[in-house]
Amino acid sequence: MNKLNKFYEKNTNQRILALKEAGIISNETFEKLSNDDLRLNEISDKLIENQISNYELPYGVALNFLVNNKEYVIPMAIEEPSVIAAASYSAKIIKENGGFISKMPQKYICGQIAFTEYENINKIDENKNELIDFIYQNNPAIKNYGKIIDIKYEIKDIFLIVYLIIDSGEAMGANMMNTALESLSNKIKDMINGEILISIISNYGNYSVVESEFKIHTSSLDKNNFKGIDIAKKIVLANRLAKADIYRATTHNKGIMNGITAAVIASGNDFRAIEASIHSFATKSGKYQPLTDYYLENEYLIGKISLPMLIGTVGASITSHPMARLSKEITKCENAKEYSQLIAAVGLAQNFAALRALVSEGIQKGHMKLHYKSMALNSGATIEEIPTILEKIKNLKIIDTDIIKNIIKDLREKGA
Ligand code: MEV
């Protein structure tokens, strides 16, 4: 992985080459990436209706992730500056302290059938085994790739709601679930003389919770005039603030979602489903809460995140999207649980970076530096010229493209 040193200082082609040399991507992928040959063109017409073009996002990689003692490079698709830099920065501190420990005991999906009329509901329990056999017989996908975990029901308001819980294996499982629910709903309808209202997967992810945590020595947070222990105490307070105030909790979780959504988009999964499940999970206590927790243990800061993660590593959009395939190659994740554990670590790293900056120098400094860097590159500067340009604009009150272009011109005239 030391082939990836100073990755951010390289240009795009050099970064692709470094990934190949570090053994992260194959020669074939290297050729394709270098020739910008991983486009969606041929398949996008088949993915959606009325397709006329593709909407692209910048795709980058977060570095320094050590999760469960394994090193990872994590692809992220996002238009916002600083996010990938921030994740990589805090992942580095965490790696130096032993890395993230992530776990995901189970990855089950839940679907529901809501009835507005029903009688003899105990027949559902009495015939549970028969119902399970019926689903297996009528849904080969479940038989081959998944497993039925349970069928249960609850009465809420005027509704009888039957829940089907499935282990969907490597698939996210929405299609598997919805197909199963359609046949099951009619079977139960006959059994209880019911009237079906809807049958659909639930995106509430309480059966697929992933956790990640780290423990760092507070001296790792020493920076310039800021003492690590003081920063750590303020990070704990900042998390407490998010518990107390929904205005802060929402922004706190937004920062987490910067990392999560970017990593989920890169993985080719349905990020709307992930976002819905995570935000509803954040209200599980009855109050919208931060997804993270921090506390001090002597000289150590402990950070934790807990959130649902319902992703797959197979399925139509994942298998056919060249960038999703590239992400699988880059992460080298063996299964969806492993990928989920990585994504949870990204969310925690993102939050840790945001809180660390917010309670010390603020986020604008780093953010604006990156912003000016991209302004300079867009104004024609080379990577080598960037440090000098940033130094020259450091104390200016007004900075725009014309000023940067003049600095570049000046630099080159003097250099010539
Ligand atoms: C900006 O995209 C995200 C932050 O606002 C998150 C936070 O405040 O924790 C920096």
Side-chain angles (χ1 to χ4, degrees), residues 315-329:
S317 60
I318 299 168
T319 315
S320 57
H321 200 304
M323 297 305 286
R325 288 205 302 270
L326 173 64
S327 297
K328 252 171 110 171
E329 178 175 346

Side-chain angles (χ1 to χ4, degrees), residues 81-100:
S82 305
V83 170
I84 295 183
S88 306
Y89 173 78
S90 50
K92 186 160 184 273
I93 297 177
I94 293 164
K95 182 179 174 180
E96 285 159 4
N97 283 272
F100 298 86

Side-chain angles (χ1 to χ4, degrees), residues 127-323:
N127 295 294
K128 201 191 242 184
N129 289 340
E130 191 199 320
L131 290 172
I132 291 176
D133 286 345
F134 174 82
I135 301 171
Y136 279 131
Q137 274 159 23
N138 287 280
N139 300 276
I142 301 186
K143 199 167 184 164
N144 295 336
Y145 307 109
K147 190 173 173 223
I148 298 166
I149 302 298
D150 204 1
I151 300 175
K152 45 192 184 183
Y153 57 82
E154 264 185 75
I155 293 173
K156 292 182 179 167
D157 192 356
I158 57 163
F159 308 103
L160 166 70
I161 309 172
V162 178
Y163 298 100
L164 171 64
I165 298 143
I166 295 178
D167 178 340
S168 57
E170 281 309 295
M172 184 273 180
N175 279 336
M176 199 187 270
M177 175 59 84
N178 290 336
T179 319
L181 288 176
E182 276 182 18
S183 50
L184 180 67
S185 55
N186 284 315
K187 180 91 178 158
I188 298 180
K189 175 188 154 139
D190 294 343
M191 201 175 261
I192 60 167
N193 203 12
E195 185 64 38
I196 303 166
L197 183 65
I198 55 165
S199 308
I200 188 77
I201 185 174
S202 165
N203 291 114
Y204 191 58
N206 59 324
Y207 293 105
S208 288
V209 176
V210 57
E211 288 173 2
S212 188
E213 64 177 89
F214 66 75
K215 179 175 181 177
I216 59 168
H217 197 273
T218 52
S219 61
S220 331
L221 293 174
D222 288 342
K223 197 172 176 198
N224 305 331
N225 301 328
F226 298 101
K227 273 185 136 175
I229 182 73
D230 297 335
I231 295 183
K233 282 181 185 162
K234 286 186 179 174
I235 288 175
V236 174
L237 281 176
N239 202 77
R240 185 167 167 180
L241 171 67
K243 285 184 184 173
D245 176 38
I246 190 157
Y247 287 88
R248 179 57 207 150
T250 310
T251 318
H252 180 104
N253 286 348
K254 188 274 180 188
I256 294 171
M257 298 311 289
N258 275 346
I260 302 266
T261 305
V264 171
I265 292 177
S267 78
N269 277 274
D270 177 347
F271 58 95
R272 287 89 51 210
I274 299 292
E275 293 191 334
S277 76
I278 291 180
H279 288 295
S280 59
F281 184 79
T283 66
K284 69 180 189 308
S285 65
K287 183 179 172 196
Y288 188 82
Q289 288 286 281
L291 299 157
T292 49
D293 210 357
Y294 292 89
Y295 55 95
L296 279 164
E297 230 176 55
N298 304 320
E299 302 269 282
Y300 291 88
L301 174 69
I302 291 152
K304 293 187 175 195
I305 193 165
S306 167
L307 77 187
M309 188 52 58
L310 267 169
I311 58 161
T313 57
V314 295
S317 60
I318 299 168
T319 315
S320 57
H321 200 304
M323 297 305 286

Side-chain angles (χ1 to χ4, degrees), residues 359-379:
V359 301
S360 54
E361 79 258 19
I363 58 156
Q364 275 317 84
K365 198 170 150 216
H367 190 77
M368 290 317 283
K369 200 167 157 193
L370 277 171
H371 178 63
Y372 294 139
K373 182 177 163 189
S374 86
M375 260 171 90
L377 289 170
N378 287 336
S379 308

Side-chain angles (χ1 to χ4, degrees), residues 21-62:
E21 288 179 345
I24 308 283
I25 55 172
S26 67
N27 288 348
E28 192 194 339
T29 305
F30 168 75
E31 292 299 333
K32 286 192 174 157
L33 257 180
S34 308
N35 299 322
D36 201 13
D37 199 15
L38 288 172
R39 323 275 313 206
L40 201 52
N41 294 345
E42 289 112 63
I43 57 152
S44 32
D45 182 30
K46 296 171 190 69
L47 284 177
I48 62 159
E49 311 72 39
N50 300 354
Q51 187 262 349
I52 56 167
S53 187
N54 293 311
Y55 182 101
E56 292 186 299
L57 281 173
Y59 178 96
V61 287

